[in-house]
Amino acid sequence: LATRIPGNLGVLGDRYPGYFTPGVPAELADLLHQVETSPAFVRRLRSALGPVAKNVRPSEEKRRWRRLLTDLASKCEEPSAFAKGSSTS
């Protein structure tokens, strides 16, 4: 189950069946009730997570962060046109 916020929508997609609106406890309560009483609903949740499960594993997130930071660090080492023209001495 997840709050319907941009970050979760970006990860889980807009068709994920387990969203609830932040600050609306009745929606969360309804979803919790469905999880407790409906094996079919739980299967829908699991099915919806299948395509994104790899992306939210800690090891995959760590790998992606490492790649991003490496890419950013290499760009910082390259001289930029701004840096060349910013000297005022």
Side-chain angles (χ1 to χ4, degrees), residues 25-38:
E27 289 182 18
L28 176 57
D30 180 55
L31 289 171
L32 288 170
H33 178 74
Q34 289 183 66
V35 167
E36 290 177 341
T37 61
S38 174

Side-chain angles (χ1 to χ4, degrees), residues 41-83:
F41 181 67
V42 173
R43 283 191 298 274
R44 281 183 50 220
L45 289 173
R46 287 187 178 144
S47 177
L49 290 174
V52 299
K54 177 184 174 191
N55 295 332
V56 296
R57 278 188 299 202
S59 61
E60 181 65 15
E61 287 190 44
K62 183 177 179 180
R63 185 186 71 76
R64 289 178 183 222
W65 273 108
R66 181 173 286 131
R67 186 176 64 197
L68 173 65
L69 293 173
T70 300
D71 289 350
L72 289 173
S74 70
K75 288 182 183 358
C76 289
E77 292 171 1
E78 298 171 5
S80 70
F82 177 76

